[in-house]
Amino acid sequence: MKHVLAVLVENKPGALTRVSGLFSRRGFNIENIAVGETLTPGISRMTITVEGSETLIEQVMKQLHKLINVIKVSNLSAEPSVMRELMLIKVRAEVGNRSDIQQIVETFRGKVVDVSPNSMVIEVTGNEEKMEAIKLLLEHFGIMEVVRTGKVALLRGSKITRET
Amino acid sequence: MRKKKIKGSNMILSALQKENVDIIFGFPGGAVLPLYDKLYDDPVKHLLVRHEQAAVHAADGYARVTGKPGVVFATSGPGATNLVTGIANAYMDSVPMVLFTGQVAKSFIGTDAFQEADITGITIPVTKHNYLVKDAAELPGILAEAFYIASTGRRGPVLIDIPKDVFDQEGYFDYNREVDIRGYKPNYEGHVGQVSRAVKAIRKAKKPVIFGGGGLIRAGASEALRELAETAKIPVILSLMGLGAYPGDSPLFLGMPGMHGSVTANYALTEADLIIATGVRFDDRVTGKLESFANNASIIHIDIDPAEIGKNVAIDIPIVGDVRLVLEELVKKLRPGSTDAWLKQISTWQSQFPMPLGSGKNGQSLKPQFVIRELSRLGGENAIVATDVGQHQMWAAQHFVVREPQTFLTSGGLGTMGYGFPAAIGARLAAPDKRVICITGDGSFQMNIQELATVVHNDFDMIIAVINNRYLGMVRQWQDIFYEKRYSYTSMEGSPDFVRVAEAYGAKAFRATTNEEATAAIEKALTLKGPVLIDFMVDPEENVYPMVAPNHSISDIIIGGERI
Ligand SMILES: Cc1ncc(C[n+]2csc(CCOP(=O)(O)OP(=O)(O)O)c2C)c(N)n1
Ligand SMILES: [Mg+2]
């Protein structure tokens, strides 16, 4: 099963290396990882997607917790949460195809963010299934390049992942 | 009034003073010149070794004996990389240590400058934490944190890498040992509910056994352990790392479990209905095949490190906390136990399966087991033993009677050949009123043999017992048993005459080839001052038994050897 972990870390040099190094060293597979600042200066939040059994995830979380720079680790998959990812897709777009592509993009509530004589860059956000679905539909026009941010997540409702 | 600014080097030496550091183990070089210059007029002692690896192992030995963090100085690049094995060794065995490495000046970092190595990057996986200091203003905080992290919670090595210019940079030195680190809050008190569950389980158990490890020693929990065992009449098994946490000559002591453990310890773990595991981590050398490990038992696991609980073996009653505090809580709530039937079963095993004393197949030759027993019988009182790695290490664990905590130093987790001799040096400095015996092998000794210069120059009293079987014996044993005696590169032919090597360095040395010579050499060595080496020429093809083959259940134990 896939687990999405929120890891709050002190923004110290090497903190990212310590976290990602831990995964490879202990043989845990990171599916993806996204990092950014939080409301508190000096504290970053990493969202890490890992595949594994309950016991493995428990071990991952305990090992992460042992890192001195790690302040908090929580498993967002264990509770109702919203998960989103952003993807940019560069797709071949001859003049005749543009409106077809436009329509797909609208259905997925995406945005066209760049147009050139024979290509378009599309921005979509959503969950895993949505990403895969739009990719499938655009494939037949010819996808030239894709880039994804990795998943980020928040708990639903007013509950937050505190720093203590 | 604001204090005067001082240099980075002075901050380090002042911090060492505040942390009550009385000895530094080190080796100088270009990047640490400013620091060594300040050391020249400082009252703190510094032991100059002959290889940086020996500095770390010596600091490690010192830390295991005193419980205080060992302190190491080394230069950048090769000086720093020479520390890595010792750091990994300390990390695996949870030994508190603070290491200082010089680094190239800040403006050179990242340019592949002369003697530059990314030692913080290299040691992330083998340190509890590490720092690269970018500004002397950060030093006081980092120094206090490093000592705090190394010596609290699950102990471990912390490295501080300091660019050459930062040693000379000035700043204010406000040192506060009360550090507060947001992401590091070790938990000391055991959960009350869990402790009561454990008490209930212990009262109910008919066949309980205590299985203790190195955590007992780090936590100073021996007294609490003794009370628990003796109040509730529960037999005690100790891992290699735990030896000494409970007196080795007590009737309740069953020995070490696992691959080369006693038959009784392995049978007791297999038959037990309750295992009270304290400060252990269920290493594969202990559990054997996991699926059949202790299938009849509920397991209570007490450890300071939550990540160890449930890592290898499923646990029924986990208790995270300082093992001493938790054991003391348990003792308060326990009544005298009635385990007589179980203890009777155990003593039957004990008389049925004593430790084998050697195969006897080579007639009159000197047996390593005999040598260890004689060392223990004649020199074991008030002694600290430091071992190297291999067969001699296992024989030392099986046959040397370890009575007190912090007196048996061995590389358990990493199994580092070359550990023993420098560790004995650390022990020498840590406990001036104890006898120090290094039990080493002909292979292992050559990994740090250069330290003979250190012990001779400083006139350290110690006995270096070389169990010389002319082989990398432990590897040869596996080739014997699992590879049809194809002894691929395990002969130590070509090794020097250790007696003459020791004499060349200026140490006293003897050779023993028979039982009588062995006894006489030990008796003689015990009367001498300064370093004494004894080269015990033992039976080259003796194997360590009992033995559990890797991935077999621990009850499936080859008893091996005959009584001689
Ligand atoms: C640094 C290092 N290299 C290799 C090994 C693998 N190894 C384990 S035991 C052993 C043999 C040690 O020989 P010796 O010190 O003579 O001890 P003996 O087993 O003969 O008593 C070896 C090579 C090791 N543990 N450490
Ligand atoms: Mg040998």
Side-chain angles (χ1 to χ4, degrees), chain A residues 121-164:
Chain A
V121 176
I122 293 149
E123 172 194 317
V124 243
T125 54
N127 58 21
E128 192 86 47
E129 293 94 78
K130 183 168 162 186
M131 302 281 148
E132 291 311 315
I134 191 166
K135 252 169 63 192
L136 194 75
L137 288 174
L138 292 174
E139 219 145 62
H140 106 115
F141 302 99
I143 296 177
M144 301 162 71
E145 204 177 1
V146 163
V147 61
R148 301 166 70 152
T149 57
K151 240 179 258 174
V152 292
L154 286 180
L155 291 174
R156 287 189 184 274
S158 56
K159 211 173 145 191
I160 63 168
T161 305
R162 282 182 200 286
E163 286 152 24
T164 49

mmCIF file of all heavy atoms in Angstrom, chain A residues 121-164:
data_model
loop_
_atom_site.group_PDB
_atom_site.id
_atom_site.type_symbol
_atom_site.label_atom_id
_atom_site.label_comp_id
_atom_site.label_asym_id
_atom_site.label_seq_id
_atom_site.Cartn_x
_atom_site.Cartn_y
_atom_site.Cartn_z
ATOM 1 N N VAL A 121 1.843 23.918 -23.825
ATOM 2 C CA VAL A 121 2.167 23.417 -22.482
ATOM 3 C C VAL A 121 0.910 23.530 -21.636
ATOM 4 O O VAL A 121 0.283 24.583 -21.573
ATOM 5 C CB VAL A 121 3.322 24.196 -21.832
ATOM 6 C CG1 VAL A 121 3.556 23.703 -20.400
ATOM 7 C CG2 VAL A 121 4.595 24.058 -22.658
ATOM 8 N N ILE A 122 0.569 22.391 -21.006
ATOM 9 C CA ILE A 122 -0.663 22.331 -20.223
ATOM 10 C C ILE A 122 -0.338 22.100 -18.763
ATOM 11 O O ILE A 122 0.563 21.321 -18.450
ATOM 12 C CB ILE A 122 -1.542 21.180 -20.750
ATOM 13 C CG1 ILE A 122 -2.016 21.544 -22.162
ATOM 14 C CG2 ILE A 122 -2.739 20.925 -19.851
ATOM 15 C CD1 ILE A 122 -2.203 20.347 -23.025
ATOM 16 N N GLU A 123 -1.052 22.785 -17.906
ATOM 17 C CA GLU A 123 -0.860 22.609 -16.465
ATOM 18 C C GLU A 123 -2.086 21.927 -15.887
ATOM 19 O O GLU A 123 -3.199 22.365 -16.123
ATOM 20 C CB GLU A 123 -0.669 24.001 -15.830
ATOM 21 C CG GLU A 123 -0.638 23.997 -14.323
ATOM 22 C CD GLU A 123 -0.790 25.411 -13.733
ATOM 23 O OE1 GLU A 123 -0.151 26.356 -14.261
ATOM 24 O OE2 GLU A 123 -1.564 25.552 -12.775
ATOM 25 N N VAL A 124 -1.867 20.830 -15.149
ATOM 26 C CA VAL A 124 -2.984 20.178 -14.455
ATOM 27 C C VAL A 124 -2.603 19.909 -13.006
ATOM 28 O O VAL A 124 -1.461 19.552 -12.733
ATOM 29 C CB VAL A 124 -3.335 18.769 -15.021
ATOM 30 C CG1 VAL A 124 -4.714 18.750 -15.589
ATOM 31 C CG2 VAL A 124 -2.270 18.233 -15.923
ATOM 32 N N THR A 125 -3.558 20.032 -12.139
ATOM 33 C CA THR A 125 -3.318 19.582 -10.765
ATOM 34 C C THR A 125 -4.372 18.549 -10.445
ATOM 35 O O THR A 125 -5.456 18.563 -11.012
ATOM 36 C CB THR A 125 -3.463 20.711 -9.722
ATOM 37 O OG1 THR A 125 -4.740 21.314 -9.905
ATOM 38 C CG2 THR A 125 -2.377 21.725 -9.812
ATOM 39 N N GLY A 126 -4.047 17.670 -9.508
ATOM 40 C CA GLY A 126 -5.021 16.667 -9.130
ATOM 41 C C GLY A 126 -4.357 15.486 -8.478
ATOM 42 O O GLY A 126 -3.217 15.580 -8.029
ATOM 43 N N ASN A 127 -5.122 14.406 -8.440
ATOM 44 C CA ASN A 127 -4.560 13.196 -7.846
ATOM 45 C C ASN A 127 -3.982 12.308 -8.941
ATOM 46 O O ASN A 127 -4.072 12.609 -10.132
ATOM 47 C CB ASN A 127 -5.619 12.486 -7.012
ATOM 48 C CG ASN A 127 -6.832 12.140 -7.847
ATOM 49 O OD1 ASN A 127 -6.759 12.068 -9.080
ATOM 50 N ND2 ASN A 127 -7.958 11.953 -7.190
ATOM 51 N N GLU A 128 -3.426 11.237 -8.526
ATOM 52 C CA GLU A 128 -2.786 10.256 -9.403
ATOM 53 C C GLU A 128 -3.651 9.864 -10.615
ATOM 54 O O GLU A 128 -3.207 9.942 -11.762
ATOM 55 C CB GLU A 128 -2.527 9.013 -8.531
ATOM 56 C CG GLU A 128 -1.630 7.983 -9.139
ATOM 57 C CD GLU A 128 -0.170 8.293 -8.866
ATOM 58 O OE1 GLU A 128 0.174 8.585 -7.723
ATOM 59 O OE2 GLU A 128 0.605 8.252 -9.839
ATOM 60 N N GLU A 129 -4.920 9.499 -10.339
ATOM 61 C CA GLU A 129 -5.786 8.991 -11.410
ATOM 62 C C GLU A 129 -6.004 10.061 -12.477
ATOM 63 O O GLU A 129 -6.003 9.785 -13.666
ATOM 64 C CB GLU A 129 -7.161 8.559 -10.875
ATOM 65 C CG GLU A 129 -7.134 7.347 -9.967
ATOM 66 C CD GLU A 129 -7.045 7.739 -8.504
ATOM 67 O OE1 GLU A 129 -8.073 8.139 -7.934
ATOM 68 O OE2 GLU A 129 -5.939 7.657 -7.927
ATOM 69 N N LYS A 130 -6.195 11.289 -11.991
ATOM 70 C CA LYS A 130 -6.455 12.374 -12.937
ATOM 71 C C LYS A 130 -5.244 12.588 -13.836
ATOM 72 O O LYS A 130 -5.379 12.765 -15.054
ATOM 73 C CB LYS A 130 -6.778 13.646 -12.142
ATOM 74 C CG LYS A 130 -7.135 14.824 -13.004
ATOM 75 C CD LYS A 130 -7.710 15.935 -12.149
ATOM 76 C CE LYS A 130 -7.669 17.262 -12.875
ATOM 77 N NZ LYS A 130 -8.103 18.367 -11.996
ATOM 78 N N MET A 131 -4.049 12.521 -13.262
ATOM 79 C CA MET A 131 -2.819 12.702 -14.044
ATOM 80 C C MET A 131 -2.723 11.648 -15.136
ATOM 81 O O MET A 131 -2.413 11.924 -16.276
ATOM 82 C CB MET A 131 -1.573 12.538 -13.147
ATOM 83 C CG MET A 131 -1.501 13.474 -11.982
ATOM 84 S SD MET A 131 -0.944 15.086 -12.481
ATOM 85 C CE MET A 131 -1.819 16.075 -11.316
ATOM 86 N N GLU A 132 -3.004 10.406 -14.719
ATOM 87 C CA GLU A 132 -2.888 9.302 -15.668
ATOM 88 C C GLU A 132 -3.941 9.429 -16.762
ATOM 89 O O GLU A 132 -3.665 9.195 -17.936
ATOM 90 C CB GLU A 132 -3.025 7.951 -14.949
ATOM 91 C CG GLU A 132 -1.844 7.621 -14.039
ATOM 92 C CD GLU A 132 -0.479 7.793 -14.704
ATOM 93 O OE1 GLU A 132 -0.323 7.345 -15.857
ATOM 94 O OE2 GLU A 132 0.420 8.407 -14.073
ATOM 95 N N ALA A 133 -5.153 9.838 -16.350
ATOM 96 C CA ALA A 133 -6.246 9.926 -17.314
ATOM 97 C C ALA A 133 -5.950 10.976 -18.385
ATOM 98 O O ALA A 133 -6.093 10.717 -19.583
ATOM 99 C CB ALA A 133 -7.547 10.257 -16.587
ATOM 100 N N ILE A 134 -5.490 12.146 -17.989
ATOM 101 C CA ILE A 134 -5.258 13.191 -18.996
ATOM 102 C C ILE A 134 -4.074 12.818 -19.884
ATOM 103 O O ILE A 134 -4.075 13.067 -21.098
ATOM 104 C CB ILE A 134 -5.110 14.595 -18.367
ATOM 105 C CG1 ILE A 134 -5.137 15.660 -19.488
ATOM 106 C CG2 ILE A 134 -3.847 14.741 -17.537
ATOM 107 C CD1 ILE A 134 -5.332 17.069 -18.992
ATOM 108 N N LYS A 135 -3.088 12.162 -19.290
ATOM 109 C CA LYS A 135 -1.934 11.729 -20.092
ATOM 110 C C LYS A 135 -2.386 10.759 -21.186
ATOM 111 O O LYS A 135 -1.974 10.852 -22.335
ATOM 112 C CB LYS A 135 -0.893 11.042 -19.198
ATOM 113 C CG LYS A 135 0.345 11.913 -19.006
ATOM 114 C CD LYS A 135 1.280 11.410 -17.934
ATOM 115 C CE LYS A 135 1.878 10.050 -18.206
ATOM 116 N NZ LYS A 135 2.556 9.499 -17.015
ATOM 117 N N LEU A 136 -3.284 9.852 -20.791
ATOM 118 C CA LEU A 136 -3.775 8.849 -21.730
ATOM 119 C C LEU A 136 -4.491 9.525 -22.906
ATOM 120 O O LEU A 136 -4.270 9.200 -24.071
ATOM 121 C CB LEU A 136 -4.727 7.912 -20.976
ATOM 122 C CG LEU A 136 -5.082 6.622 -21.680
ATOM 123 C CD1 LEU A 136 -3.898 5.670 -21.612
ATOM 124 C CD2 LEU A 136 -6.310 5.992 -21.020
ATOM 125 N N LEU A 137 -5.331 10.531 -22.563
ATOM 126 C CA LEU A 137 -6.105 11.193 -23.614
ATOM 127 C C LEU A 137 -5.224 12.033 -24.543
ATOM 128 O O LEU A 137 -5.514 12.176 -25.725
ATOM 129 C CB LEU A 137 -7.189 12.079 -22.993
ATOM 130 C CG LEU A 137 -8.348 11.281 -22.374
ATOM 131 C CD1 LEU A 137 -9.309 12.216 -21.647
ATOM 132 C CD2 LEU A 137 -9.105 10.493 -23.453
ATOM 133 N N LEU A 138 -4.146 12.596 -23.983
ATOM 134 C CA LEU A 138 -3.307 13.473 -24.803
ATOM 135 C C LEU A 138 -2.282 12.687 -25.619
ATOM 136 O O LEU A 138 -1.679 13.217 -26.550
ATOM 137 C CB LEU A 138 -2.583 14.505 -23.924
ATOM 138 C CG LEU A 138 -3.483 15.563 -23.266
ATOM 139 C CD1 LEU A 138 -2.686 16.431 -22.309
ATOM 140 C CD2 LEU A 138 -4.186 16.426 -24.324
ATOM 141 N N GLU A 139 -2.107 11.444 -25.237
ATOM 142 C CA GLU A 139 -1.059 10.626 -25.849
ATOM 143 C C GLU A 139 -1.160 10.601 -27.373
ATOM 144 O O GLU A 139 -0.156 10.676 -28.070
ATOM 145 C CB GLU A 139 -1.145 9.194 -25.317
ATOM 146 C CG GLU A 139 0.219 8.574 -25.073
ATOM 147 C CD GLU A 139 0.193 7.664 -23.855
ATOM 148 O OE1 GLU A 139 -0.561 6.670 -23.909
ATOM 149 O OE2 GLU A 139 0.887 7.986 -22.864
ATOM 150 N N HIS A 140 -2.375 10.537 -27.857
ATOM 151 C CA HIS A 140 -2.500 10.338 -29.306
ATOM 152 C C HIS A 140 -2.150 11.595 -30.116
ATOM 153 O O HIS A 140 -1.862 11.528 -31.292
ATOM 154 C CB HIS A 140 -3.852 9.684 -29.628
ATOM 155 C CG HIS A 140 -4.864 10.591 -30.230
ATOM 156 N ND1 HIS A 140 -5.323 10.391 -31.509
ATOM 157 C CD2 HIS A 140 -5.485 11.672 -29.742
ATOM 158 C CE1 HIS A 140 -6.215 11.342 -31.759
ATOM 159 N NE2 HIS A 140 -6.330 12.115 -30.709
ATOM 160 N N PHE A 141 -2.095 12.736 -29.423
ATOM 161 C CA PHE A 141 -1.580 13.944 -30.111
ATOM 162 C C PHE A 141 -0.051 13.949 -30.115
ATOM 163 O O PHE A 141 0.569 14.625 -30.915
ATOM 164 C CB PHE A 141 -2.074 15.223 -29.412
ATOM 165 C CG PHE A 141 -3.574 15.314 -29.353
ATOM 166 C CD1 PHE A 141 -4.275 14.970 -28.209
ATOM 167 C CD2 PHE A 141 -4.293 15.753 -30.480
ATOM 168 C CE1 PHE A 141 -5.651 15.045 -28.166
ATOM 169 C CE2 PHE A 141 -5.684 15.839 -30.433
ATOM 170 C CZ PHE A 141 -6.375 15.476 -29.273
ATOM 171 N N GLY A 142 0.529 13.221 -29.204
ATOM 172 C CA GLY A 142 1.993 13.172 -29.082
ATOM 173 C C GLY A 142 2.479 14.001 -27.900
ATOM 174 O O GLY A 142 2.584 15.219 -27.977
ATOM 175 N N ILE A 143 2.771 13.320 -26.782
ATOM 176 C CA ILE A 143 3.310 14.016 -25.606
ATOM 177 C C ILE A 143 4.816 14.134 -25.776
ATOM 178 O O ILE A 143 5.502 13.156 -26.029
ATOM 179 C CB ILE A 143 2.967 13.270 -24.298
ATOM 180 C CG1 ILE A 143 1.444 13.263 -24.090
ATOM 181 C CG2 ILE A 143 3.662 13.903 -23.100
ATOM 182 C CD1 ILE A 143 0.972 12.506 -22.876
ATOM 183 N N MET A 144 5.352 15.357 -25.684
ATOM 184 C CA MET A 144 6.781 15.571 -25.915
ATOM 185 C C MET A 144 7.583 15.508 -24.616
ATOM 186 O O MET A 144 8.725 15.074 -24.585
ATOM 187 C CB MET A 144 7.002 16.936 -26.580
ATOM 188 C CG MET A 144 6.270 17.051 -27.920
ATOM 189 S SD MET A 144 6.087 18.780 -28.432
ATOM 190 C CE MET A 144 7.768 19.184 -28.838
ATOM 191 N N GLU A 145 6.985 15.973 -23.545
ATOM 192 C CA GLU A 145 7.721 16.058 -22.286
ATOM 193 C C GLU A 145 6.723 16.208 -21.141
ATOM 194 O O GLU A 145 5.673 16.818 -21.322
ATOM 195 C CB GLU A 145 8.644 17.286 -22.325
ATOM 196 C CG GLU A 145 9.828 17.202 -21.423
ATOM 197 C CD GLU A 145 10.743 18.424 -21.575
ATOM 198 O OE1 GLU A 145 10.427 19.327 -22.363
ATOM 199 O OE2 GLU A 145 11.762 18.446 -20.871
ATOM 200 N N VAL A 146 7.091 15.653 -19.982
ATOM 201 C CA VAL A 146 6.226 15.770 -18.810
ATOM 202 C C VAL A 146 7.086 16.096 -17.601
ATOM 203 O O VAL A 146 8.192 15.587 -17.470
ATOM 204 C CB VAL A 146 5.480 14.431 -18.555
ATOM 205 C CG1 VAL A 146 4.911 14.395 -17.150
ATOM 206 C CG2 VAL A 146 4.360 14.232 -19.560
ATOM 207 N N VAL A 147 6.609 16.955 -16.720
ATOM 208 C CA VAL A 147 7.296 17.159 -15.451
ATOM 209 C C VAL A 147 6.260 17.219 -14.348
ATOM 210 O O VAL A 147 5.170 17.758 -14.529
ATOM 211 C CB VAL A 147 8.204 18.411 -15.481
ATOM 212 C CG1 VAL A 147 7.415 19.671 -15.745
ATOM 213 C CG2 VAL A 147 8.996 18.560 -14.181
ATOM 214 N N ARG A 148 6.578 16.588 -13.198
ATOM 215 C CA ARG A 148 5.618 16.540 -12.080
ATOM 216 C C ARG A 148 6.280 16.999 -10.793
ATOM 217 O O ARG A 148 7.469 16.798 -10.594
ATOM 218 C CB ARG A 148 5.096 15.107 -11.913
ATOM 219 C CG ARG A 148 4.402 14.603 -13.168
ATOM 220 C CD ARG A 148 4.199 13.111 -13.118
ATOM 221 N NE ARG A 148 3.193 12.734 -12.116
ATOM 222 C CZ ARG A 148 2.449 11.629 -12.230
ATOM 223 N NH1 ARG A 148 2.596 10.827 -13.272
ATOM 224 N NH2 ARG A 148 1.579 11.342 -11.294
ATOM 225 N N THR A 149 5.501 17.585 -9.927
ATOM 226 C CA THR A 149 6.078 18.115 -8.675
ATOM 227 C C THR A 149 6.186 17.066 -7.581
ATOM 228 O O THR A 149 6.908 17.256 -6.616
ATOM 229 C CB THR A 149 5.195 19.231 -8.098
ATOM 230 O OG1 THR A 149 3.881 18.693 -7.900
ATOM 231 C CG2 THR A 149 5.141 20.421 -9.000
ATOM 232 N N GLY A 150 5.471 15.978 -7.721
ATOM 233 C CA GLY A 150 5.348 15.068 -6.580
ATOM 234 C C GLY A 150 4.178 15.512 -5.732
ATOM 235 O O GLY A 150 3.816 16.686 -5.717
ATOM 236 N N LYS A 151 3.610 14.551 -5.037
ATOM 237 C CA LYS A 151 2.404 14.801 -4.265
ATOM 238 C C LYS A 151 2.619 15.704 -3.052
ATOM 239 O O LYS A 151 3.639 15.584 -2.381
ATOM 240 C CB LYS A 151 1.920 13.456 -3.723
ATOM 241 C CG LYS A 151 0.553 13.071 -4.162
ATOM 242 C CD LYS A 151 0.233 11.724 -3.578
ATOM 243 C CE LYS A 151 0.381 10.636 -4.641
ATOM 244 N NZ LYS A 151 0.206 9.291 -4.076
ATOM 245 N N VAL A 152 1.650 16.585 -2.780
ATOM 246 C CA VAL A 152 1.620 17.265 -1.482
ATOM 247 C C VAL A 152 0.255 16.977 -0.858
ATOM 248 O O VAL A 152 -0.690 16.663 -1.568
ATOM 249 C CB VAL A 152 1.844 18.791 -1.597
ATOM 250 C CG1 VAL A 152 3.255 19.094 -2.029
ATOM 251 C CG2 VAL A 152 0.835 19.429 -2.538
ATOM 252 N N ALA A 153 0.181 17.060 0.447
ATOM 253 C CA ALA A 153 -1.070 16.668 1.091
ATOM 254 C C ALA A 153 -1.321 17.432 2.377
ATOM 255 O O ALA A 153 -0.391 17.858 3.061
ATOM 256 C CB ALA A 153 -1.027 15.166 1.386
ATOM 257 N N LEU A 154 -2.623 17.615 2.695
ATOM 258 C CA LEU A 154 -3.039 18.182 3.982
ATOM 259 C C LEU A 154 -4.185 17.337 4.531
ATOM 260 O O LEU A 154 -4.940 16.741 3.751
ATOM 261 C CB LEU A 154 -3.554 19.615 3.800
ATOM 262 C CG LEU A 154 -2.568 20.749 3.547
ATOM 263 C CD1 LEU A 154 -3.347 22.058 3.396
ATOM 264 C CD2 LEU A 154 -1.554 20.871 4.676
ATOM 265 N N LEU A 155 -4.283 17.304 5.851
ATOM 266 C CA LEU A 155 -5.416 16.616 6.464
ATOM 267 C C LEU A 155 -6.689 17.372 6.129
ATOM 268 O O LEU A 155 -6.687 18.592 6.017
ATOM 269 C CB LEU A 155 -5.259 16.572 7.988
ATOM 270 C CG LEU A 155 -4.140 15.690 8.535
ATOM 271 C CD1 LEU A 155 -4.034 15.869 10.042
ATOM 272 C CD2 LEU A 155 -4.404 14.227 8.193
ATOM 273 N N ARG A 156 -7.800 16.667 5.994
ATOM 274 C CA ARG A 156 -9.082 17.336 5.795
ATOM 275 C C ARG A 156 -9.557 17.929 7.120
ATOM 276 O O ARG A 156 -9.119 17.503 8.179
ATOM 277 C CB ARG A 156 -10.131 16.324 5.301
ATOM 278 C CG ARG A 156 -9.907 15.924 3.862
ATOM 279 C CD ARG A 156 -11.066 15.093 3.340
ATOM 280 N NE ARG A 156 -10.771 14.640 1.980
ATOM 281 C CZ ARG A 156 -11.030 15.357 0.884
ATOM 282 N NH1 ARG A 156 -11.616 16.554 0.976
ATOM 283 N NH2 ARG A 156 -10.718 14.881 -0.312
ATOM 284 N N GLY A 157 -10.464 18.888 7.043
ATOM 285 C CA GLY A 157 -11.023 19.492 8.249
ATOM 286 C C GLY A 157 -10.046 20.481 8.864
ATOM 287 O O GLY A 157 -9.053 20.864 8.243
ATOM 288 N N SER A 158 -10.285 20.839 10.117
ATOM 289 C CA SER A 158 -9.491 21.920 10.702
ATOM 290 C C SER A 158 -8.234 21.412 11.400
ATOM 291 O O SER A 158 -7.427 22.172 11.909
ATOM 292 C CB SER A 158 -10.344 22.734 11.674
ATOM 293 O OG SER A 158 -10.863 21.854 12.643
ATOM 294 N N LYS A 159 -8.089 20.084 11.443
ATOM 295 C CA LYS A 159 -6.911 19.509 12.095
ATOM 296 C C LYS A 159 -5.644 19.837 11.297
ATOM 297 O O LYS A 159 -5.657 19.820 10.069
ATOM 298 C CB LYS A 159 -7.103 17.995 12.144
ATOM 299 C CG LYS A 159 -6.448 17.367 13.344
ATOM 300 C CD LYS A 159 -6.829 15.901 13.401
ATOM 301 C CE LYS A 159 -5.640 15.146 13.943
ATOM 302 N NZ LYS A 159 -5.797 13.712 13.795
ATOM 303 N N ILE A 160 -4.551 20.138 11.998
ATOM 304 C CA ILE A 160 -3.301 20.420 11.288
ATOM 305 C C ILE A 160 -2.164 19.536 11.801
ATOM 306 O O ILE A 160 -2.256 18.933 12.855
ATOM 307 C CB ILE A 160 -2.902 21.921 11.401
ATOM 308 C CG1 ILE A 160 -2.645 22.307 12.855
ATOM 309 C CG2 ILE A 160 -3.956 22.823 10.786
ATOM 310 C CD1 ILE A 160 -1.986 23.661 12.994
ATOM 311 N N THR A 161 -1.107 19.480 10.985
ATOM 312 C CA THR A 161 0.084 18.730 11.395
ATOM 313 C C THR A 161 0.979 19.699 12.155
ATOM 314 O O THR A 161 1.654 20.527 11.561
ATOM 315 C CB THR A 161 0.806 18.169 10.154
ATOM 316 O OG1 THR A 161 -0.136 17.405 9.408
ATOM 317 C CG2 THR A 161 1.978 17.303 10.551
ATOM 318 N N ARG A 162 0.925 19.600 13.464
ATOM 319 C CA ARG A 162 1.647 20.569 14.299
ATOM 320 C C ARG A 162 3.131 20.285 14.357
ATOM 321 O O ARG A 162 3.580 19.184 14.106
ATOM 322 C CB ARG A 162 1.094 20.539 15.725
ATOM 323 C CG ARG A 162 -0.196 21.264 15.856
ATOM 324 C CD ARG A 162 -0.688 21.246 17.297
ATOM 325 N NE ARG A 162 -2.106 21.517 17.320
ATOM 326 C CZ ARG A 162 -2.633 22.716 17.112
ATOM 327 N NH1 ARG A 162 -1.855 23.756 16.883
ATOM 328 N NH2 ARG A 162 -3.934 22.886 17.117
ATOM 329 N N GLU A 163 3.838 21.322 14.776
ATOM 330 C CA GLU A 163 5.293 21.170 14.841
ATOM 331 C C GLU A 163 5.770 20.562 16.160
ATOM 332 O O GLU A 163 6.967 20.469 16.392
ATOM 333 C CB GLU A 163 5.972 22.530 14.623
ATOM 334 C CG GLU A 163 5.893 22.962 13.169
ATOM 335 C CD GLU A 163 5.905 24.451 13.017
ATOM 336 O OE1 GLU A 163 6.409 25.128 13.929
ATOM 337 O OE2 GLU A 163 5.407 24.940 11.986
ATOM 338 N N THR A 164 4.824 20.219 17.043
ATOM 339 C CA THR A 164 5.300 19.643 18.303
ATOM 340 C C THR A 164 4.809 18.215 18.455
ATOM 341 O O THR A 164 3.862 17.825 17.815
ATOM 342 C CB THR A 164 4.810 20.446 19.518
ATOM 343 O OG1 THR A 164 3.417 20.630 19.339
ATOM 344 C CG2 THR A 164 5.534 21.749 19.612
#
